[in-house]
Amino acid sequence: MGKALDGVKILDFTHVQSGPTCTQLLAWFGADVIKVEKAGEGDATRGQLRDIDGVDSLYFTMLNHNKRSITVNTKDPKGKEVLVRLIKECDVLVENFAPGALDRMGFSWEKIQELNPRMIMASVKGFGPGPYEDCKVYENVAQCAGGAASTTGFDDGPPLVTGAQIGDSGTGLHLALGIVAALYQRNTTGRGQKVLAAMQDAVLNLCRVKLRDQQRLDRTHVLKEYPQYPDGKFGDAVPRAGNASGGGQPGWILKCKGWETDPNAYIYFITQAPVWGAICKVIGQEDWITDPEYATPPARLKHLKKIFDRIEQWTMTKTKFEAMDILNKYDIPCGPILSMKEIAEEPALRATGTVVEVDHPTRGKYLTVGNPIKLSDSITEVTRSPLLGEHTEEVLAQLGYSKGEIEELRAAKVI
């Protein structure tokens, strides 16, 4: 069975997280991803957050599966010639350098187009065109600049960043879609193009419901589904909403049995209108079904704190999994707060390939995430990340270099 991106060649100039997330996803779909690294050093994450001395870190391995690694001294003229051949052979160049880095290497967009008019050049930047376009951006900066931090946390506390890497990995996912779209358009036009994913833009795209709420707040000066209603005050910007759902179905995180010693003994509970009667019966509060103060969604908005306090009295008598079993019988929307340990040990996630065990020649076996997108006719096989420069000779041979020429490049420390 073939892969969706069989035959597509990716020249991977990315490092750390945002770019490697993008190219790993393309590799999972079958693209041949050639990761260009500096000899002796490689991607900075190879050595970051190491748990085994002298071995590629989990940070690197979990972002660079299914790729090939070559080492090239891009400052050497012969190294630049290697890059010229790669650009001519590949379909896509992906980079997340600082602004202007490729130009300084001698590979401007105009030069790339001259070498390969069909080349797609895809870039991750911190900001799009504007006052901050030359600023260096990392994960948490992107979350702050994209609107996530100001709307995350509780109203009486500071802004918070989320543990989900929506700035780095989120931008990589956006860039991958842009690349696939550009490849598809090239089938019609025959031309390559530039693809840009700015981290601020990607975070904002994931925070669109908060931009929605900003406009509602501007118009009505209140957001009734937020915990500040009805007793709190609203300012001129969308406030932090704790664990409120951010939509028309009120939800909150509630304690479950064992919460005193288990920091993850909680469940997310949504008081969806169609199952309100079932909720009342489950928690033993049947009178709320007909009580005018609770019978309709608008009426309940004034009493959400009291409602969730009452539901929590019930959830605290059950483990989060016991509560799930009971609530699911009535189609009451809910979900357990799963720790990373629980996720790592969940058999269903192993069965679907969402969590995968990989064997590495120096690290041994480790767990990683698999492809989150499943195609029925393009099965993802997660292969280990490459050792530094592992495929240099293989790739150069495919570019037409002879064994003698490869030895000369190695002797000159070009590779």
Short mmCIF file of all heavy atoms in Angstrom, two decimals, residues 25 61 70 81 116 149 155 161 170 179 181 185 198 218 221 253 256 264 268 274 304 310 316 349 388 405:
data_model
loop_
_atom_site.label_atom_id
_atom_site.label_comp_id
_atom_site.label_asym_id
_atom_site.label_seq_id
_atom_site.Cartn_x
_atom_site.Cartn_y
_atom_site.Cartn_z
N LEU A 25 5.28 15.33 10.39
CA LEU A 25 3.93 14.98 9.94
C LEU A 25 3.96 14.62 8.45
O LEU A 25 3.34 13.63 8.03
CB LEU A 25 2.97 16.15 10.18
CG LEU A 25 1.49 15.88 9.96
CD1 LEU A 25 0.98 14.80 10.91
CD2 LEU A 25 0.67 17.16 10.14
N THR A 61 14.24 13.06 19.51
CA THR A 61 13.73 11.84 18.88
C THR A 61 12.23 11.92 18.62
O THR A 61 11.74 11.42 17.61
CB THR A 61 14.02 10.60 19.75
OG1 THR A 61 13.40 10.74 21.02
CG2 THR A 61 15.52 10.41 19.93
N ILE A 70 21.43 14.42 7.05
CA ILE A 70 22.73 14.63 6.42
C ILE A 70 23.40 15.82 7.10
O ILE A 70 22.73 16.74 7.57
CB ILE A 70 22.63 14.85 4.90
CG1 ILE A 70 21.95 16.19 4.58
CG2 ILE A 70 21.91 13.71 4.22
CD1 ILE A 70 22.07 16.58 3.11
N GLU A 81 27.22 23.86 -2.92
CA GLU A 81 26.91 23.10 -4.14
C GLU A 81 26.02 21.90 -3.82
O GLU A 81 25.13 21.56 -4.60
CB GLU A 81 28.19 22.65 -4.81
CG GLU A 81 27.99 21.75 -6.02
CD GLU A 81 27.11 22.35 -7.10
OE1 GLU A 81 27.13 23.59 -7.27
OE2 GLU A 81 26.41 21.59 -7.78
N ASN A 116 14.95 26.16 -9.02
CA ASN A 116 13.84 25.20 -9.12
C ASN A 116 12.51 25.96 -9.08
O ASN A 116 11.99 26.24 -8.00
CB ASN A 116 13.92 24.19 -7.98
CG ASN A 116 12.83 23.12 -8.06
OD1 ASN A 116 11.94 23.19 -8.91
ND2 ASN A 116 12.89 22.14 -7.18
N ALA A 149 -2.72 33.43 26.50
CA ALA A 149 -2.39 33.61 27.92
C ALA A 149 -3.35 34.57 28.62
O ALA A 149 -3.73 34.35 29.78
CB ALA A 149 -0.95 34.12 28.06
N ASP A 155 -9.75 34.36 37.10
CA ASP A 155 -9.89 35.80 37.06
C ASP A 155 -9.07 36.50 38.15
O ASP A 155 -8.65 37.64 37.98
CB ASP A 155 -11.37 36.19 37.19
CG ASP A 155 -11.63 37.62 36.74
OD1 ASP A 155 -10.93 38.06 35.80
OD2 ASP A 155 -12.50 38.28 37.32
N VAL A 161 0.12 30.35 30.59
CA VAL A 161 0.31 29.61 29.34
C VAL A 161 -0.16 28.18 29.58
O VAL A 161 -0.19 27.69 30.70
CB VAL A 161 1.79 29.63 28.90
CG1 VAL A 161 2.23 31.04 28.57
CG2 VAL A 161 2.69 29.01 29.96
N GLY A 170 1.53 23.69 17.26
CA GLY A 170 0.33 24.19 16.60
C GLY A 170 0.66 24.88 15.30
O GLY A 170 -0.03 24.72 14.29
N ILE A 179 1.61 23.57 3.15
CA ILE A 179 2.49 22.88 2.19
C ILE A 179 1.69 21.94 1.30
O ILE A 179 1.87 21.92 0.08
CB ILE A 179 3.58 22.11 2.95
CG1 ILE A 179 4.58 23.09 3.58
CG2 ILE A 179 4.31 21.14 2.02
CD1 ILE A 179 5.55 22.44 4.55
N ALA A 181 -1.44 22.13 0.58
CA ALA A 181 -2.27 22.95 -0.31
C ALA A 181 -1.44 23.49 -1.48
O ALA A 181 -1.89 23.50 -2.63
CB ALA A 181 -2.91 24.10 0.46
N GLN A 185 -1.93 22.86 -5.48
CA GLN A 185 -2.08 23.93 -6.46
C GLN A 185 -1.02 23.83 -7.55
O GLN A 185 -1.27 24.17 -8.71
CB GLN A 185 -2.01 25.30 -5.78
CG GLN A 185 -2.34 26.46 -6.71
CD GLN A 185 -2.41 27.78 -5.99
OE1 GLN A 185 -1.89 27.94 -4.89
NE2 GLN A 185 -3.06 28.75 -6.60
N ALA A 198 2.91 32.12 10.68
CA ALA A 198 3.42 32.90 11.81
C ALA A 198 2.84 32.34 13.10
O ALA A 198 1.66 32.01 13.18
CB ALA A 198 3.04 34.37 11.65
N ASP A 218 -17.95 43.63 23.57
CA ASP A 218 -18.03 45.02 23.11
C ASP A 218 -19.47 45.46 22.92
O ASP A 218 -19.83 46.61 23.17
CB ASP A 218 -17.27 45.18 21.79
CG ASP A 218 -15.76 45.07 21.96
OD1 ASP A 218 -15.27 45.22 23.10
OD2 ASP A 218 -15.07 44.84 20.94
N HIS A 221 -21.51 44.04 26.79
CA HIS A 221 -20.83 44.37 28.06
C HIS A 221 -20.95 43.28 29.11
O HIS A 221 -20.66 43.53 30.29
CB HIS A 221 -21.34 45.70 28.62
CG HIS A 221 -21.34 46.81 27.62
ND1 HIS A 221 -20.19 47.33 27.07
CD2 HIS A 221 -22.38 47.48 27.03
CE1 HIS A 221 -20.50 48.28 26.19
NE2 HIS A 221 -21.82 48.39 26.14
N ILE A 253 -14.50 21.72 35.84
CA ILE A 253 -13.74 20.59 36.37
C ILE A 253 -14.13 20.37 37.82
O ILE A 253 -14.10 21.31 38.63
CB ILE A 253 -12.23 20.82 36.23
CG1 ILE A 253 -11.84 20.76 34.75
CG2 ILE A 253 -11.44 19.79 37.03
CD1 ILE A 253 -10.37 21.00 34.48
N CYS A 256 -13.24 14.38 42.15
CA CYS A 256 -13.75 13.02 42.25
C CYS A 256 -13.14 12.34 43.47
O CYS A 256 -12.26 12.90 44.14
CB CYS A 256 -13.41 12.22 40.99
SG CYS A 256 -14.33 12.75 39.52
N ASN A 264 -4.92 14.39 39.95
CA ASN A 264 -5.69 14.27 38.71
C ASN A 264 -7.00 13.51 38.89
O ASN A 264 -7.60 13.04 37.92
CB ASN A 264 -4.83 13.59 37.64
CG ASN A 264 -3.63 14.43 37.27
OD1 ASN A 264 -3.78 15.54 36.76
ND2 ASN A 264 -2.43 13.93 37.54
N TYR A 268 -14.18 16.47 33.93
CA TYR A 268 -14.81 17.64 33.31
C TYR A 268 -16.27 17.29 33.04
O TYR A 268 -16.57 16.28 32.40
CB TYR A 268 -14.12 18.04 32.00
CG TYR A 268 -14.48 19.47 31.61
CD1 TYR A 268 -13.73 20.53 32.07
CD2 TYR A 268 -15.61 19.73 30.84
CE1 TYR A 268 -14.08 21.84 31.76
CE2 TYR A 268 -15.96 21.03 30.53
CZ TYR A 268 -15.19 22.09 30.99
OH TYR A 268 -15.54 23.38 30.70
N PRO A 274 -29.99 19.23 26.61
CA PRO A 274 -30.86 18.06 26.32
C PRO A 274 -30.84 16.97 27.39
O PRO A 274 -31.77 16.17 27.46
CB PRO A 274 -30.31 17.55 24.99
CG PRO A 274 -29.65 18.73 24.35
CD PRO A 274 -29.07 19.49 25.50
N LEU A 304 -24.91 28.76 38.10
CA LEU A 304 -23.94 27.74 37.69
C LEU A 304 -23.03 27.31 38.84
O LEU A 304 -22.72 26.12 38.98
CB LEU A 304 -23.10 28.25 36.51
CG LEU A 304 -23.80 28.28 35.15
CD1 LEU A 304 -22.86 28.80 34.08
CD2 LEU A 304 -24.30 26.89 34.78
N ARG A 310 -23.23 21.32 43.62
CA ARG A 310 -24.11 20.19 43.92
C ARG A 310 -23.67 18.94 43.15
O ARG A 310 -23.66 17.82 43.70
CB ARG A 310 -25.56 20.54 43.57
CG ARG A 310 -26.55 19.39 43.77
CD ARG A 310 -26.66 19.00 45.24
NE ARG A 310 -27.51 17.82 45.42
CZ ARG A 310 -27.07 16.56 45.36
NH1 ARG A 310 -25.77 16.32 45.11
NH2 ARG A 310 -27.90 15.55 45.54
N MET A 316 -17.70 13.48 43.96
CA MET A 316 -16.72 13.16 45.00
C MET A 316 -16.97 11.80 45.65
O MET A 316 -16.11 11.28 46.36
CB MET A 316 -16.70 14.26 46.07
CG MET A 316 -16.06 15.56 45.58
SD MET A 316 -16.24 16.93 46.75
CE MET A 316 -15.27 16.33 48.14
N LEU A 349 -4.93 3.67 23.18
CA LEU A 349 -4.09 4.61 22.44
C LEU A 349 -2.94 3.88 21.76
O LEU A 349 -2.49 4.28 20.68
CB LEU A 349 -3.56 5.70 23.38
CG LEU A 349 -4.62 6.62 23.98
CD1 LEU A 349 -3.98 7.62 24.94
CD2 LEU A 349 -5.40 7.35 22.90
N LEU A 388 22.85 11.57 13.91
CA LEU A 388 23.39 12.75 13.23
C LEU A 388 24.22 12.33 12.01
O LEU A 388 25.19 11.58 12.12
CB LEU A 388 24.27 13.54 14.21
CG LEU A 388 24.92 14.82 13.64
CD1 LEU A 388 23.86 15.79 13.14
CD2 LEU A 388 25.81 15.48 14.69
N GLU A 405 34.18 11.41 -4.72
CA GLU A 405 33.77 12.78 -4.41
C GLU A 405 33.27 12.89 -2.97
O GLU A 405 33.53 13.89 -2.28
CB GLU A 405 32.68 13.23 -5.39
CG GLU A 405 33.19 13.47 -6.80
CD GLU A 405 32.07 13.74 -7.78
OE1 GLU A 405 31.00 13.09 -7.67
OE2 GLU A 405 32.24 14.62 -8.65
#
